[in-house]
Amino acid sequence: MNHSLSFEDDIDGDTLHEECGVFGILGHPDAATLTALGLHALQHRGQEAAGIVSFDGQRFHSERRMGLVGDHYTDPATLARLPGDRSIGHVRYSTTGETILRNVQPLFAELEVGGIAIAHNGNFTNGLTMRRQLIADGAICQSTSDTEVVLHLIARSKQASSSDRFIDAIRQMEGGYSMLAMTRTKLIAARDPIGIRPLVMGELDGKPIFCSETCALDIIGAKYVRDVENGEVIICEIQPDGSITIDARKPEVSQPERLCLFEYVYFARPDSVVGGRNVYVARKNMGINLAKEAPVAADVVVPVPDGGTPAAIGFAQASGIPFELGIIRNHYVGRTFIEPTQQIRAFGVKLKHSANREIIAGKRVVLVDDSIVRGTTSVKIVQMIREAGASEVHIRVASPMIFHPDFYGIDTPDADKLLANQYSSLKAMCDFIGADSLEFLSIDGLYRAVGGEPRNNAQPQFTDHYFTGDYPTRLLDKESTSNVRKLSVLASNG
């Protein structure tokens, strides 16, 4: 079967991308260094830019750079330009060419109540609408990041304190987000009303830390305290005597938490604990349930690295079919290395994956992947496995079919670009990919893997609209036709 696929399809266009990761610490003498280490642990959440803002008691200091955390923040000279005992940081992923320095967070502004730096992970579903209203009222926007909208709302708030202004601002925002703010004396953490995006609280030497995932606590030897609750705002403030007070504000009307299921399927690091659940265990459970739902006669279970590995281990254990690393991933191929010349295009997916021929030749292979977005990478991987001598290639996907785009901070293609919407049947999808069989985990199988029970259709336990079409909030920007053209730009700005 011959498929004409573009280079971008092969390499960068057929995976989901998380928007961002955040990290903040208050009152520690090594604040910037610890923030850089925390961001390094969160690098999987965004690889295109990183930023840190610190405060030394007199001035704010900012270092915002394009590229990876390790490219810049391992330099002692860079860290020396970030003095102080408090800092917040951010790693960012963008999707549309809008990765420019003025969009790199944390964003900083000098307001009537003093300087404030903010960073957030996720996306506001009314960010464009609020932005248009602010501009109509005379606001001047310097970036295309919807994080800037929050700065304007803080500046315009009639509340007295910076904390109350911050709360007043975010209560006007809708969507999925976790956000950190830093003032001269405070570190403020906030999570969206239903907890779509994760945020955890930790402690190191008695000093509070907030970050997107527990793996960022582990890297610096910090203690996990608890998850920030959905809708909660936690205000940590250094007092004149050096002590730190912690004020947790809950929303007036609480809603059930609905964490994003894709944190478990794909985004979070396997060693993280999200919503009290170990991500590796959840992914392994997905593979176990997949083996029960979609058994197949085969000789070897091979993960599509790296995301499919825990599920493949579970599939192998439940099915009794041996697990082998039949595909080896090259971890050192980045977007900066790859140039879309015709010669490079010809290499296709082999730039990132190569078949382990000794394991595959003459075997009936089960390929286990975490998800399929457009299917273009799957086509290339199946071709590669067949070229390595496999007698059969069966694909098992450890999540349901993706039918709907996301508006809460995940980079997803438009609905008509998703594989599940391009073919009317599973067989047609399988034929396109070129496999001998193709099966996906059911939505209930996924829910059982993560939460231990099937989906409650009346009140879903997780955010799962990409599978079900059940969006948990209003989509104000999408519903406004004047925003449609710009939405793809701003939805990527984490």
Side-chain angles (χ1 to χ4, degrees), residues 251-265:
E252 291 180 7
V253 180
S254 63
Q255 302 179 57
E257 184 183 62
R258 288 184 64 179
L259 256 163
C260 173
L261 265 181
F262 255 111
E263 292 290 344
Y264 297 100
V265 170

Side-chain angles (χ1 to χ4, degrees), residues 68-382:
L68 301 175
V69 176
D71 292 344
H72 306 291
Y73 297 97
T74 52
D75 183 354
T78 302
L79 292 172
R81 292 194 295 271
L82 292 165
D85 67 351
R86 68 212 71 171
S87 69
I88 63 172
H90 186 265
V91 287
R92 180 172 185 274
Y93 174 81
S94 170
T95 62
T96 59
E98 283 293 313
T99 305
I100 48 180
L101 200 56
R102 69 168 181 249
N103 283 336
V104 179
Q105 298 180 39
L107 298 184
F108 175 80
E110 192 70 46
L111 308 179
E112 181 189 8
V113 289
I116 186 169
I118 63 174
H120 100 278
N121 158 226
N123 194 59
F124 299 122
T125 53
N126 66 338
L128 288 162
T129 303
M130 298 296 294
R131 182 188 188 87
R132 195 193 307 112
Q133 292 173 1
L134 287 164
I135 291 173
D137 289 341
I140 298 172
C141 291
Q142 297 294 313
S143 75
T144 59
S145 169
D146 51 4
T147 313
E148 189 175 15
V149 171
V150 180
L151 281 176
H152 282 288
L153 293 175
I154 293 170
R156 291 168 182 240
S157 173
K158 304 302 181 186
Q159 299 293 324
S161 72
S162 57
S163 305
D164 290 335
R165 285 185 176 217
F166 177 83
I167 292 171
D168 182 32
I170 64 162
R171 293 288 186 250
Q172 299 176 60
M173 305 308 296
E174 300 175 18
Y177 58 86
S178 58
M179 176 169 280
L180 297 183
M182 184 178 70
T183 71
R184 296 169 66 90
T185 61
K186 300 170 185 172
L187 175 62
I188 306 171
R191 196 161 166 231
D192 67 78
I194 61 173
I196 298 173
R197 302 263 73 86
L199 188 63
V200 299
M201 183 179 187
E203 179 186 289
L204 181 66
D205 303 329
K207 310 304 181 184
I209 298 170
F210 296 96
C211 51
S212 293
E213 292 182 38
T214 58
C215 62
L217 300 174
D218 298 335
I219 198 173
I220 59 171
K223 173 189 169 188
Y224 166 80
V225 176
R226 66 179 179 91
D227 284 17
V228 177
E229 294 180 18
N230 50 302
E232 185 179 28
V233 179
I234 302 178
I235 303 148
C236 303
E237 184 169 12
I238 293 185
Q239 303 301 315
D241 64 358
S243 65
I244 296 175
T245 58
I246 297 177
D247 177 17
R249 311 260 188 101
K250 304 288 180 65
E252 291 180 7
V253 180
S254 63
Q255 302 179 57
E257 184 183 62
R258 288 184 64 179
L259 256 163
C260 173
L261 265 181
F262 255 111
E263 292 290 344
Y264 297 100
V265 170
Y266 184 85
F267 295 131
R269 240 174 61 166
D271 55 329
S272 284
V273 176
V274 176
R277 306 169 187 92
N278 179 271
V279 174
Y280 174 84
V281 171
R283 289 180 186 164
K284 191 174 168 186
N285 288 341
M286 292 171 205
I288 292 170
N289 292 349
L290 184 59
K292 294 174 182 176
E293 291 183 2
V296 60
D299 303 308
V300 62
V301 174
V302 171
V304 177
D306 287 321
T309 302
I313 292 171
F315 191 101
Q317 289 182 3
S319 65
I321 303 169
F323 169 93
E324 297 285 359
L325 295 178
I327 300 173
I328 306 302
R329 183 183 172 201
N330 179 3
H331 290 264
Y332 302 98
V333 176
R335 298 178 111 185
T336 51
F337 163 76
I338 306 165
E339 296 182 10
T341 62
Q342 186 57 46
Q343 184 179 8
I344 294 293
R345 275 195 191 98
F347 295 141
V349 80
K350 291 181 183 178
L351 282 166
K352 285 192 172 179
H353 300 108
S354 59
N356 190 353
R357 186 177 296 270
E358 188 74 20
I359 298 300
I360 288 167
K363 303 285 180 59
R364 297 170 297 171
V365 176
V366 185
L367 287 176
V368 177
D369 207 348
D370 52 38
S371 57
I372 291 183
V373 184
R374 294 196 296 180
T376 49
T377 298
S378 301
V379 170
K380 290 294 187 183
I381 287 177
V382 169

